Amino acid sequence: MNSEQLLHVNGIDLCAQTFGDSAAPALLLIGGAEASMDWWDDELCERLAAGGRYVIRYDTRDTGRSTTFPPGAPPYAGEALVADAVGLLDALGIEAAHIVGISAGAGVAQHLAVHHQDRLLSLTLISTTPNGPGGAGDPELPPMSEKLQKMFAEGGDEGPDWSDRESVIAYFIKGERGFAGSIPVDEERLRRIVTRAFDRSPSLASAQNHWQLEGGEPIRHLLGGITVPTLILHGTEDPLFPYGHGEALAREIPGARLVPLKGMGHQMPPPEVWSTVTTEILRHG
């Protein structure tokens, strides 16, 4: 694991960290909404690097040590996250990389594959839906679980006290329980991740800006033009984007290969599925 570095990209600073040999094929990890690089577990990154990849994880804008904006007022649109990924590769001197995105980050990855296909060696989409999270409302795809619908309908949760570590930890653990499948939630591991994110983030509340971004240009009709090798990893118990969303992606992207992650919900891959995740990503690349 190398030290974190701040890179000036598109008029802002992005904080990135790398694992492995810089001469190896690059693998860029793009996190979901509200998630700093901390959610890509150290050990998972090290396993991918040990498989012969130069692994890059980074804080998207408004998370971690990257540039943040006042909560509730993001002066950018969703397209900026796509441009940031391209700019990060430029700043690191990388012409093309294996791109791995999860949830909203996989929505960013789809845009990269459609508009910047020359920068991709391969594409891996985890826990997402055609055209990113906007696909959740597609009547042709299975709806979110009744339990999750009820949780959203009840609302009433204005979020934690962002200045209090324990309040923030409790907030994220509650969210993880709501989105998890039958694989048990490891609260001790979550506590470590959130504590690190809290300690690294000058403005943790700014990450909420991701939920206010517009969906951007619809690209589902362009997925058929993706020609890079594509892998889809999807939890069999995803309550937000049920497994049918992964199946839809596999149908719409030519040659895409779908691999189920048994018992996983809508979440960063837990250790129980790391063996499958690392094997499939490295095999795919």
Side-chain angles (χ1 to χ4, degrees), residues 132-156:
D138 189 329
E140 297 179 3
L141 297 174
M144 72 176 74
S145 70
E146 292 184 2
K147 178 181 177 181
L148 204 57
Q149 290 183 48
K150 181 179 179 182
M151 186 178 83
F152 285 149
E154 290 174 349

Side-chain angles (χ1 to χ4, degrees), residues 1 30 54 61-63 94 96 106 113 121 136 138 142 152 176 202-203 216 237 241 278:
M1 181 195 312
I30 307 176
Y54 182 50
R61 60 172 69 200
D62 267 330
T63 74
I94 296 171
L121 297 174
D138 189 329
F152 285 149
E176 191 76 2
S203 180
E237 299 178 24
F241 302 142
T278 55

